[in-house]
Amino acid sequence: MIGRLLQFPRLLFLISILGIGQALFSQSASEITGQVIDVNSGEPVDFSSVAVLLKTDSSLITGVTTDLEGKFDLSISANEDYLLRISYLGYQTLYLTVTAAPEGVDLGEIELVEAAENLAEISVEAAALMFRSEIDKRTYDVENTIAADGGTAIQLLQTLPSIQVDEEGQINLRGSSNLLIYINGRPTNLTSDDTESILEQYPANAIKSVEVITNPAARFDAEGVGGIINIILNESELYGLNGQINVGAGTGNKLNTGLNLNYRSNGWNFSLGYNFQYRERWEYSESWRESFRGDVSPILDQEYDTENWDRTHLVRPAIEYQFNENTSLTFFSSINHRSRDRERLYQIRSLDASE
């Protein structure tokens, strides 16, 4: 009797071992393999996503990405039903039902189909090149650029390479002020001060392009000058009467207004442009001078307060007759009037060294 009781725990232990073995067998892993390829080309789809979902509730179990040959290999619990979700950008997502057998499942080649998308019509508009280089000149097409909005011709020139404009409005080409200003291929024959005034009046949006001519040809009659800046103005191609009004304002009491009218009919083109500019400028300077001569005040302190009011009017009439596509006769003029009022306050103090 006692011997049978001693054998009973051994029997329980053996039954437990068999139960654990059965549980481990039922939870054994199943290896799922396959290769993802393109249905049209047969090429492998590398780095595509393979996700394993539980079939009952679509919860994510595990997942891998395919290798360079489009192949994948993953292990999941055997004797279960799963969903394989295979996806890649530009392809339709594919779902496969898989029963994980203990001996494993080889899905072979899995074909993905490219996704067909209806794209909206795309309109591409090409803007003209801003810069063109030729043997004797460079042409900058500034029409419809940001620099042409709201500014003046002198401000537009400051944005172009090789051209510098100092604080006094003096224009330099590659460091030289010995240059000529042309408008529509014709010399202006103006002094530097008049050129500054006129270019300050021209609205930048009235300019189509700027030609920087560093090696003027003989037809320009520019011997001995450092170069030519040729400003090409916009010309209206509309028939009948048309016009444009420009108004601009800036800080420091600056105002620009302009009116452009154009009439074209039967080969004739009449145009009239008017621009007005008002600008206020303030200047302040101070100097301190100390002298060691006995016959003059040792210290001289000077202050200057200056205010300038500039008003400029520019009228540009033009008449053109177009004989044919390549020949035309044009009369063009620029009438400029500039006035300046100045008020300057001087404060001069002579001081002794003790003050």
Side-chain angles (χ1 to χ4, degrees), residues 56 129 142 179 297 322 337:
T56 55
L129 292 175
V142 297
L179 55 90
S297 299
Q322 191 83 27
H337 174 72

Side-chain angles (χ1 to χ4, degrees), residues 16 30 77 100 123 144 156 164 171 175 237 293 308 335:
S16 299
S30 176
S77 298
S123 177
N144 299 323
L156 176 62
Q164 302 85 35
I171 302 174
E237 299 296 333
R293 293 176 54 185
N308 299 301
I335 304 171

Side-chain angles (χ1 to χ4, degrees), residues 131-143:
F131 168 76
R132 299 193 307 273
S133 181
E134 301 176 35
I135 296 177
D136 59 341
K137 66 181 179 181
R138 293 183 177 182
T139 302
Y140 299 92
D141 295 324
V142 297
E143 187 179 18

Side-chain angles (χ1 to χ4, degrees), residues 34-36 44-46 50 64-73:
Q35 183 184 25
V36 181
V45 182
D46 51 354
V50 181
V64 295
T65 57
T66 59
D67 59 18
L68 295 176
E69 296 180 353
K71 296 180 179 181
F72 66 92
D73 185 345

Side-chain angles (χ1 to χ4, degrees), residues 59-297:
S59 58
L60 179 64
I61 303 300
T62 185
V64 295
T65 57
T66 59
D67 59 18
L68 295 176
E69 296 180 353
K71 296 180 179 181
F72 66 92
D73 185 345
L74 51 83
S75 296
I76 54 178
S77 298
N79 301 318
E80 293 281 354
D81 292 332
Y82 299 95
L83 284 177
L84 256 63
R85 184 183 64 200
I86 305 169
S87 59
Y88 189 74
L89 184 65
Y91 289 86
Q92 297 178 11
T93 301
L94 178 65
Y95 289 90
L96 297 176
T97 301
V98 177
T99 299
E103 63 273 15
V105 178
D106 183 6
L107 297 175
E109 293 181 345
I110 303 171
E111 297 177 337
L112 288 186
V113 179
E114 290 186 3
E117 297 183 4
N118 294 324
L119 299 178
E121 180 181 356
I122 299 176
S123 177
V124 178
E125 296 182 1
L129 292 175
M130 183 181 175
F131 168 76
R132 299 193 307 273
S133 181
E134 301 176 35
I135 296 177
D136 59 341
K137 66 181 179 181
R138 293 183 177 182
T139 302
Y140 299 92
D141 295 324
V142 297
E143 187 179 18
N144 299 323
T145 61
I146 296 177
D149 290 336
T152 64
I154 199 78
Q155 293 171 335
L156 176 62
L157 291 179
Q158 289 177 307
T159 66
L160 301 181
S162 304
I163 299 178
Q164 302 85 35
V165 182
D166 60 24
E167 295 180 356
E168 301 298 326
Q170 180 71 44
I171 302 174
N172 294 276
L173 178 59
R174 297 192 302 179
S176 173
S177 60
N178 184 24
L179 55 90
L180 297 177
I181 302 295
Y182 278 51
I183 296 179
N184 288 342
R186 303 172 182 86
T188 57
N189 296 322
L190 299 172
T191 64
S192 59
D193 290 340
D194 290 336
T195 300
E196 173 199 352
S197 177
I198 288 180
L199 293 182
E200 283 181 345
Q201 285 299 296
Y202 270 106
N205 58 13
I207 299 176
K208 180 179 181 180
S209 61
V210 177
E211 297 178 349
V212 178
I213 306 172
T214 55
N215 186 22
R219 63 185 178 89
F220 287 104
D221 191 22
E223 184 178 357
V225 301
I228 294 175
I229 298 176
N230 184 26
I231 300 173
I232 308 299
L233 302 178
N234 282 313
E235 294 183 2
S236 175
E237 299 296 333
L238 299 176
Y239 282 86
L241 180 64
N242 58 86
Q244 182 183 35
I245 298 176
N246 301 304
V247 178
T251 58
N253 295 335
K254 295 181 177 64
L255 175 67
N256 290 287
T257 61
L259 172 66
N260 296 302
L261 296 175
N262 193 86
Y263 179 77
R264 181 183 293 271
S265 178
N266 298 324
W268 288 95
N269 185 47
F270 303 89
S271 63
L272 176 65
Y274 169 75
N275 291 91
F276 170 75
Q277 182 185 79
Y278 175 80
R279 183 173 64 176
E280 294 184 12
R281 293 187 298 175
W282 292 270
E283 301 173 12
Y284 173 79
S285 63
E286 182 178 359
S287 66
W288 176 277
R289 187 178 65 186
E290 186 172 352
S291 175
F292 297 97
R293 293 176 54 185
D295 56 342
V296 297
S297 299

Side-chain angles (χ1 to χ4, degrees), residues 11-57:
L11 181 61
L12 291 177
F13 178 75
L14 180 59
I15 294 173
S16 299
I17 293 298
L18 292 175
I20 293 173
Q22 178 66 26
L24 291 174
F25 177 78
S26 63
Q27 297 296 323
S28 62
S30 176
E31 186 178 17
I32 309 297
T33 60
Q35 183 184 25
V36 181
I37 64 172
D38 184 285
V39 66
N40 295 318
S41 65
E43 295 293 326
V45 182
D46 51 354
F47 300 106
S48 56
S49 174
V50 181
V52 180
L53 311 176
L54 196 60
K55 188 176 181 180
T56 55
D57 58 4

